[in-house]
Amino acid sequence: MHSDLSLALNSLGKLISNSPPRVAIVLGSGLGNLADSLENPRRIPYAEIPGFPDTTVAGHRGELVVGDLEDTPVILQNGRFHLYEGHDPAVFALPVRLFSELGVESVILTNAAGGLNPLFAPPTLMLIADHVNLMWRNPLIGKRLGGETRFPDLLNAYDSELRSMALDVAADAGIGLAEGVYGGVLGPNFETPAEIRMLRLLGCDAVGMSTVPEVIVARARGMRVLGISSITNAAAGLSKKPLSHEEVLAAGKELAVDFELLVRGVVRRLDNTC
């Protein structure tokens, strides 16, 4: 086991000893309020976890939170790292590897994204059905870690059963939920109009700067993945408004109620199928 991973696992021992998490949830920009809804929460800041760097992006608190959601033990990553902050892909993926070592079998990955599909009027939620990796980074490069497949199959990267479950939850709750392809780019700048046209030609419905490396590691470890994008704005060239991170955070707040209802419903149904 990688040394940082082993040390991080030891640092969480007391938090999870009585109730190991069954589901992990990674919270993207503007979606951190869910961490305040857990029952019996126990928090540990990244500064106290070996190998975890500080978060530098607004809307990412920088803590792991262990607790119960819908009577299910969960662990939340409240704020993620990004490759554009200068981190190695292995650092970006360290939390997912940690979740796997804790015994988590299903992970819900969320993010804020720009909308490319003109039918997805922001702010709205989008279920990720597939992705296109334009980050030019892969966390599996290098020595293969124990418990990971060298050549993971990404045919069902975003678990079809979990997606059907999420669509059922959304329909029952009256939540608007689109479904589409996520384009992962390195950032940190927003894309040019020409790049947006390219992404649309490639079949992408949304674009963002995270998630893809986490999915790759999760699938290499046999974890089931559900991806949810918060479509916060129309991408460059599709709207006359200038893009800003403040707009991303504001849209996240607007979607907070539907987002929490969706995640709660999925966790509840997922727990019933375990």
Side-chain angles (χ1 to χ4, degrees):
M1 186 187 304
H2 190 275
S3 59
D4 282 344
L5 181 57
S6 179
L7 291 171
L9 186 62
N10 290 337
S11 71
L12 291 179
K14 293 181 180 180
L15 283 182
I16 65 168
S17 58
N18 296 327
S19 185
R22 300 175 66 179
V23 180
I25 305 170
V26 179
L27 300 174
S29 295
L31 302 174
N33 287 342
L34 183 64
D36 297 326
S37 300
L38 296 192
E39 298 178 355
N40 307 312
R42 287 92 71 199
R43 303 172 183 272
I44 180 169
Y46 291 166
E48 298 179 14
I49 306 174
F52 276 51
D54 292 334
T55 55
T56 64
V57 181
H60 292 259
R61 292 189 203 172
E63 62 181 2
L64 292 183
V65 188
V66 177
D68 297 318
L69 187 68
E70 297 297 315
D71 297 321
T72 301
V74 300
I75 183 168
L76 270 64
Q77 183 184 347
N78 193 7
R80 57 157 55 90
F81 324 125
H82 300 82
L83 295 179
Y84 61 70
E85 294 174 274
H87 301 307
D88 185 273
V91 174
F92 185 109
L94 178 58
V96 172
R97 287 181 164 126
L98 177 61
F99 301 151
S100 176
E101 292 295 329
L102 294 174
V104 170
E105 296 182 353
S106 299
V107 58
I108 301 175
L109 301 173
T110 75
N111 60 55
L116 307 179
N117 189 323
L119 298 179
F120 300 170
T124 191
L125 296 174
M126 186 192 84
L127 198 61
I128 304 177
D130 205 345
H131 72 233
V132 175
N133 184 3
L134 296 176
M135 305 178 91
W136 317 121
R137 303 288 192 278
N138 193 307
L140 302 184
I141 291 175
K143 183 178 180 180
R144 183 179 67 85
L145 299 186
E148 296 185 5
T149 301
R150 175 81 284 185
F151 305 107
D153 184 353
L154 298 185
L155 177 63
N156 193 33
Y158 299 87
D159 192 90
S160 57
E161 291 184 2
L162 295 185
R163 292 190 348 246
S164 294
M165 189 182 298
L167 289 169
D168 288 344
V169 169
D172 290 346
I175 298 170
L177 182 62
E179 188 171 16
V181 176
Y182 177 84
V185 297
L186 183 59
N189 58 284
F190 292 112
E191 301 72 37
T192 68
E195 290 168 340
I196 293 303
R197 293 194 294 272
M198 176 194 70
L199 287 162
R200 292 179 67 183
L201 287 173
L202 292 176
C204 297
D205 298 290
V207 59
M209 306 170 191
S210 66
T211 304
V212 170
E214 295 159 322
V215 174
I216 293 171
V217 167
R219 293 305 301 140
R221 287 178 165 261
M223 302 171 73
R224 303 172 72 190
V225 174
L226 179 68
I228 303 170
S229 287
S230 167
I231 305 296
T232 57
N233 56 272
L238 303 182
S239 170
K240 295 180 179 180
K241 294 176 59 178
L243 303 180
S244 71
H245 190 62
E246 289 73 23
E247 181 184 12
V248 170
L249 298 179
K253 291 181 180 179
E254 190 171 341
L255 291 169
V257 173
D258 282 352
F259 172 74
E260 182 170 338
L261 284 174
L262 179 62
V263 172
R264 282 183 175 275
V266 169
V267 169
R268 183 168 58 249
R269 296 193 186 201
L270 184 58
D271 186 56
N272 290 336
T273 63
C274 292

